[in-house]
Amino acid sequence: MSNITLTLLILCFSASLYDASALDSDGVTLLSLLTHWTYVPHIINSTWNASHSVSCSWHGVQCNHAYHVISLNLTDLGIHGQLGPEIGQLYSLKILVLSNNGFSGKVPSELSNCSLLELLDLSNNSFSGQIPFSFGEFRNLSHMSLSSNWLTGVIPDSLFRIPRLEEVNLSKNLLTGTIPANIGVIPQNLGINSSLVKLDITNNKFTGNLPPNLCFLKRLSVLNMGSNQLNGSIPSDLGRCKTLSMLILSENNFTSSLPVFESNANLKYLHISKNKIGGPIPPSLENCTNLAAINMSMNKFTGLIPSALGKLVNLTVLDLSHNNLEGSLPPQLSNCSKMDHFDVGFNSLNGSFPSSMRSWKGITTLILRENNFTGGIPGFFSEFSKLRELQLGGNLIGGSIPPSLGKLKNLFYGLNLSRNELTGVIPLELGYAAGSSTLDVSQQARNEE
């Protein structure tokens, strides 16, 4: 090798060293993260350049005035691979959003070294393993989402010692064990976690009771614990939580009865379906005047449907199906003129459909099946022009089928009049209502027995 060639090689090698050393330390850390990724999108390859002096112009990267990385947002880029422990070297990082990618492996415990982190979103990936206990060391974190991953194990108690934590979403994982006792059990712990406004742990395998005093400091807005294995009774203090707007406890093993609701002004969504809750439906629900959706289906509720529900003028969804309710439909429900979905199927209700409910002009789903309703099919049903499903099967409804039902052109999800005591001929007009839906008028034989 000639001296000239050797000199050129030395110069090229020196130049490459200069380029690497010219890049700031945060940039070097980011490039190190790339080594753990099995697929790197073009937008990253084309902008993350080792020849730059700083990484602030790179895709997804934001810096402060001192050129330190404070935000890394790589959502929806299709990245695959692991999140390396080097992430903990971004000491000025405040925002980390890696949602909707293909990250796998463990969530690195070194993340807790990012002591300034305020927002952490790792949702919709394939992270596995346990939630790092070290996350309790965060002091500025206010929002965290680890939902839709493959995380296992218990929720570490340390997570709820984060002083500024407002929202945590752990839904759609494989987490097990009981809910940590330090969420809302005694005021001392709640004082540490005074900013909690949303708790979402849906689609896991949590067991045990629902902790009381979750709304002790009256900031809780969303409580979503659906699709777990929780049991016991629903704490009475939730009925006094005036800040609560969404309460979802569906698909658990809750027993006993519902709490009394005391002027719970902000509650809009109450979903407690698929539990073992019994007793009467509390008339105190009338105090929740902003309620838009109630789903109490598949429980053990007994007694009458409270006429007080007629005071919920903002109600659009009422599902009381698969319970042990009896009596007639209260005519006061006609005040709920915004009703869109009404389902009381599979109960022991009786009487006829109140004529006052013709005020439900916008209703799309009306399910009265498998009860003991009597009388005839109301002619004003033909005024429900937006109706997409009408289920009247399995009752004691008699008389003839109104030809006016043929005006219902949008019954895409079925017209079921079967197993009643209907008489007369099937109107030709009914064919116009059926469209592509299911039309069932079979087994009209009760009155012939």
Side-chain angles (χ1 to χ4, degrees):
M1 180 181 293
S2 67
N3 291 336
I4 296 176
T5 303
L6 180 63
T7 301
L8 288 173
L9 286 173
I10 293 174
L11 287 173
C12 290
F13 181 70
S14 299
S16 64
L17 285 178
Y18 177 78
D19 287 342
S21 63
L23 182 61
D24 64 298
S25 61
D26 282 358
V28 172
T29 297
L30 292 174
L31 291 180
S32 181
L33 290 175
L34 287 180
T35 63
H36 301 277
W37 299 354
T38 57
Y39 173 76
V40 181
H42 174 73
I43 190 66
I44 298 293
N45 281 326
S46 61
T47 60
W48 290 29
N49 196 322
S51 65
H52 296 171
S53 59
V54 293
S55 55
C56 301
S57 61
W58 295 1
H59 181 81
V61 177
Q62 291 184 12
C63 299
N64 58 16
H65 64 280
Y67 304 106
H68 294 147
V69 175
I70 60 172
S71 175
L72 180 61
N73 188 338
L74 304 177
T75 187
D76 287 308
L77 292 182
I79 299 171
H80 281 69
Q82 298 186 349
L83 181 59
E86 298 92 338
I87 191 68
Q89 297 174 19
L90 298 177
Y91 300 113
S92 298
L93 195 64
K94 294 183 177 181
I95 296 174
L96 178 61
V97 180
L98 304 178
S99 57
N100 301 306
N101 283 290
F103 284 102
S104 58
K106 294 182 178 181
V107 177
S109 59
E110 289 83 359
L111 254 176
S112 60
N113 294 331
C114 304
S115 59
L116 301 181
L117 202 63
E118 299 174 0
L119 169 63
L120 174 63
D121 188 352
L122 305 180
S123 61
N124 292 290
N125 281 284
S126 297
F127 286 110
S128 58
Q130 298 186 345
I131 300 173
F133 186 85
S134 62
F135 276 15
E137 299 174 11
F138 288 122
R139 286 296 173 263
N140 295 288
L141 193 68
S142 61
H143 293 76
M144 178 174 68
S145 179
L146 305 178
S147 66
S148 299
N149 281 285
W150 298 99
L151 299 175
T152 56
V154 300
I155 300 179
D157 290 347
S158 61
L159 204 64
F160 296 96
R161 290 197 292 267
I162 301 174
R164 298 185 180 181
L165 192 62
E166 295 183 7
E167 179 178 338
V168 54
N169 189 343
L170 307 177
S171 63
K172 299 180 181 178
N173 280 286
L174 300 173
L175 298 169
T176 56
T178 60
I179 299 175
N182 64 332
I183 306 176
V185 175
I186 54 177
Q188 292 93 313
N189 291 329
L190 285 169
I192 296 174
N193 188 35
S194 61
S195 299
L196 184 65
V197 296
K198 180 178 179 180
L199 180 60
D200 188 335
I201 59 167
T202 55
N203 289 289
N204 283 289
K205 297 180 180 180
F206 290 113
T207 58
N209 297 334
L210 189 63
N213 300 320
L214 287 172
C215 195
F216 183 79
L217 293 175
K218 295 180 174 58
R219 294 202 62 186
L220 188 67
S221 174
V222 175
L223 181 60
N224 191 345
M225 297 187 169
S227 302
N228 283 285
Q229 298 171 17
L230 300 170
N231 52 41
S233 59
I234 300 174
S236 59
D237 58 288
L238 286 180
R240 299 188 295 270
C241 188
K242 295 184 178 181
T243 57
L244 194 61
S245 65
M246 180 181 294
L247 177 58
I248 300 178
L249 305 176
S250 54
E251 298 187 51
N252 281 286
N253 295 309
F254 289 112
T255 56
S256 188
S257 57
L258 281 178
V260 175
F261 292 88
E262 301 177 4
S263 300
N264 199 335
N266 287 323
L267 190 63
K268 295 181 180 179
Y269 303 96
L270 176 61
H271 291 195
I272 54 172
S273 62
K274 298 182 181 179
N275 280 284
K276 300 175 181 178
I277 303 171
I281 297 173
S284 61
L285 281 172
E286 69 178 4
N287 295 322
C288 309
T289 55
N290 286 327
L291 268 172
I294 299 176
N295 189 339
M296 298 182 175
S297 63
M298 299 187 184
N299 280 287
K300 297 182 179 180
F301 287 108
T302 59
L304 307 176
I305 298 176
S307 61
L309 296 183
K311 296 184 179 180
L312 304 178
V313 296
N314 294 305
L315 202 60
T316 61
V317 175
L318 180 59
D319 191 340
L320 306 176
S321 62
H322 295 271
N323 281 289
N324 300 310
L325 300 172
E326 57 187 7
S328 58
L329 296 177
Q332 291 86 350
L333 287 177
S334 62
N335 296 325
C336 307
S337 57
K338 298 179 182 179
M339 191 69 73
D340 176 84
H341 181 109
F342 184 76
D343 188 351
V344 291
F346 296 90
N347 282 285
S348 298
L349 299 168
N350 55 43
S352 59
F353 196 80
S355 60
S356 60
M357 291 185 187
R358 69 193 312 158
S359 62
W360 291 358
K361 301 296 186 183
I363 193 165
T364 63
T365 303
L366 179 57
I367 301 177
L368 308 177
R369 63 177 302 180
E370 311 303 329
N371 281 284
N372 296 310
F373 288 115
T374 56
I377 300 175
F380 64 83
F381 276 7
S382 63
E383 300 173 15
F384 296 162
S385 59
K386 297 182 180 180
L387 206 59
R388 306 183 75 178
E389 182 176 8
L390 178 59
Q391 299 282 350
L392 304 179
N395 282 287
L396 302 172
I397 300 173
S400 60
I401 301 174
S404 59
L405 289 184
K407 296 179 180 179
L408 301 176
K409 310 295 186 186
N410 296 313
L411 287 174
F412 302 118
Y413 297 109
L415 173 59
N416 187 349
L417 309 177
S418 67
R419 288 173 293 111
N420 279 287
E421 298 182 354
L422 297 170
T423 59
V425 299
I426 300 175
L428 293 176
E429 292 86 349
L430 214 57
Y432 299 115
S436 60
S437 68
T438 300
L439 171 61
D440 192 347
V441 294
S442 63
Q443 301 183 47
Q444 305 296 331
R446 293 188 183 181
N447 59 338
E448 297 178 1
E449 297 177 354

